[in-house]
Amino acid sequence: AKKARKGSYSFYREEDDRALKLRHKNETMLRSALENEEILVYYQPKFHIHESRITGVEALVRWNRNKSEIVYPDEFISILEESGLIISVGEFILRKACSDIAELNASLERPLKLAVNLSAVQFTDPGLVGKIRTILEETSFPSELLEVEITESIAMNDIASTMKILNELTAMKISIAVDDFGTGYSSLSYLQKFPLSTLKIDKSFIDQMQNKEEDQGIVRTIISLADIMNLNVVAEGVETGDQIEILKNNRCAEAQGYFISRPTDIGSLRLIMVSKDPK
Ligand code: C2E
Ligand code: CA
Ligand code: CA
Ligand code: CA
C-alpha cells in the first residue's frame, strides 16, 4: 500500500472527518425535513419536438434546508438512500406530484403526463406497488398518465423482483422509462425482457452532439434502437436550438432541458401551461 506523508495523511483524515460530520448533520436534518415541510417538488417540462408542445413533466425533488436555501438532489439523495429515508420521502414526492398535476390538468385542454424518479432502494420496499396504487386513488390521478423513471442499475440488484414490480406497474397501465440511457450496464437482452415504454438519452451524449461526430452517432443509434424496440425516446439536458435541430432531423420525438425550461415550482408551471393550453 502507498504510504502517505504524515502531514498529508492527517490532512485527509480531517477532511474525511469534516465531510462525515456534515453528512451526519444533514441526515439528522433530513429526518425532520418532511414534517417541517422542507421537501419541495419542482417540475421540468418535456417538449414534443414535432408537435411543438409540452406533453408532460418530470418531478424533481428539492430540499428547502432550514426553509432558507434550496439544496439540489446530488447533495442529499444518497443520504436519503443510505438511511432508508428515501422510502417515506419518495412516497411524499409521488403524492405531491400526482396531486399538483391532477389539479393543473383540470384546467388544461390536454392533460400533462407525469414522470417520477424511483430510486433502486424504493424497489427493495415490498410495499412499493401498493403505495403507488393508494396514491393514485387518493389523488384521482389517472395511471395512464404516470411514468416512472428508473436507471439501468435497478435491474442489477435483483432481476426477478425488479421484473415482478415492473410487470405489476405495467398491468396498472403505468409506463416505465429508462433514465440516463447509455451510461449503465444493462444488456440489450434485459432491455428487451423488461416491459419498458421509453428511453431517455443521457445528457452526456447530448452535450457535445453539435461538435462530436461520435456523440451524434450514439444519439442516432439510441433513437433507432428505440424505434426498433417500439419505445418512445426523450433527449435530456437539451440546452441549445442547434441541439433541437439535430434531434428533429434525427426524428427524436421529445426533448427536455434548459433550452425548453428549467425545473420550476408548480406555480410557475401553471403560468407556463395555462397560457399555452387553456381549457
Ligand atoms: P435526472 O433524473 O437525470 O434528472 C435530470 C437532471 O438534469 C435534473 O437535475 C435537472 O434539473 C437537470 N437538467 C435538466 N435539464 C438540464 C440542462 O439543460 N442542463 C443541465 N446542466 N442540467 C439539466 P436535478 O434536479 O439536480 O436532479 C439530479 C438527479 O437527482 C436526477 O437526475 C435524479 O437522478 C435525482 N433525483 C431528482 N429528483 C428525484 C426524486 O424525486 N427521486 C429520486 N429517487 N431521485 C431524484
Ligand atoms: Ca430522471
Ligand atoms: Ca435523466
Ligand atoms: Ca442524467
Side-chain angles (χ1 to χ4, degrees):
K2 263 192 290 180
K3 191 164 184 189
R5 280 189 301 121
K6 208 179 170 205
S8 63
Y9 179 65
S10 66
F11 171 75
Y12 283 119
R13 279 232 330 234
E14 269 168 39
E15 281 287 280
D16 288 351
D17 206 40
R18 217 177 303 152
L20 209 66
K21 276 187 180 142
L22 184 63
R23 220 180 147 78
H24 278 138
K25 183 162 181 254
N26 276 327
E27 184 182 326
T28 307
M29 292 169 78
L30 280 164
R31 283 192 188 281
S32 39
L34 273 183
E35 52 188 282
N36 295 344
E37 296 177 22
E38 291 179 355
I39 300 296
L40 308 180
V41 184
Y42 277 32
Y43 301 95
Q44 187 176 39
K46 291 185 186 177
F47 181 77
H48 197 288
I49 300 175
H50 308 285
E51 294 176 19
S52 194
R53 65 185 186 94
I54 294 167
T55 48
V57 294
E58 176 179 0
L60 294 159
V61 67
R62 301 288 180 261
W63 177 22
N64 191 3
R65 187 164 52 201
N66 294 320
K67 293 225 165 123
S68 65
E69 68 180 312
I70 299 290
V71 184
Y72 288 82
D74 288 344
E75 253 190 76
F76 65 89
I77 288 284
S78 70
I79 303 177
L80 293 180
E81 288 179 334
E82 282 162 27
S83 60
L85 286 167
I86 192 71
I87 308 266
S88 52
V89 173
E91 197 179 338
F92 170 84
I93 294 164
L94 181 66
R95 184 177 287 109
K96 178 78 171 103
C98 286
S99 110
D100 278 353
I101 302 304
E103 195 188 332
L104 174 55
N105 278 346
S107 51
L108 299 180
E109 185 64 45
R110 279 170 294 194
L112 291 171
K113 290 182 293 178
L114 167 66
V116 175
N117 293 283
L118 288 186
S119 152
V121 175
Q122 289 174 276
F123 271 71
T124 65
D125 171 13
L128 177 66
V129 175
K131 283 172 190 169
I132 295 175
R133 198 188 305 274
T134 305
I135 290 168
L136 290 172
E137 280 167 14
E138 278 171 11
T139 58
S140 308
F141 193 84
S143 57
E144 310 87 75
L145 293 179
L146 181 65
E147 181 163 71
V148 296
E149 297 192 3
I150 60 172
T151 57
E152 294 163 80
S153 62
I154 276 185
M156 296 300 103
N157 294 339
D158 179 348
I159 287 169
S161 86
T162 302
M163 186 73 89
K164 181 165 180 281
I165 294 171
L166 296 184
N167 283 332
E168 285 170 353
L169 295 178
T170 304
M172 290 163 66
K173 300 198 171 78
I174 295 168
S175 4
I176 294 147
V178 182
D179 209 350
D180 305 336
F181 184 72
T183 62
Y185 307 94
S186 61
S187 71
L188 293 178
S189 86
Y190 279 115
L191 275 186
Q192 206 175 23
K193 286 183 189 119
F194 285 148
L196 305 174
S197 58
T198 307
L199 300 182
K200 294 192 77 179
I201 308 172
D202 192 64
K203 178 178 183 299
S204 60
F205 302 116
I206 305 297
D207 282 341
Q208 294 301 318
M209 202 174 41
Q210 312 96 292
N211 323 315
K212 287 196 189 150
E213 200 52 49
E214 192 178 316
D215 287 13
Q216 203 176 127
I218 292 172
V219 170
R220 235 183 262 128
T221 304
I222 298 176
I223 295 169
S224 4
L225 180 67
D227 197 34
I228 292 164
M229 295 176 66
N230 219 348
L231 301 174
N232 302 321
V233 64
V234 182
E236 66 174 30
V238 176
E239 294 181 345
T240 71
D242 287 352
Q243 290 170 342
I244 287 280
E245 212 38 51
I246 296 172
L247 291 167
K248 190 173 187 171
N249 292 337
N250 287 290
R251 301 174 182 283
C252 178
E254 289 184 295
Q256 190 184 345
Y258 293 174
F259 181 71
I260 294 123
S261 168
R262 290 192 175 240
T264 63
D265 62 23
I266 186 65
S268 309
L269 179 69
R270 173 175 286 278
L271 288 178
I272 296 172
M273 289 314 301
V274 172
S275 67
K276 286 192 200 296
D277 189 31
K279 203 159 214 172

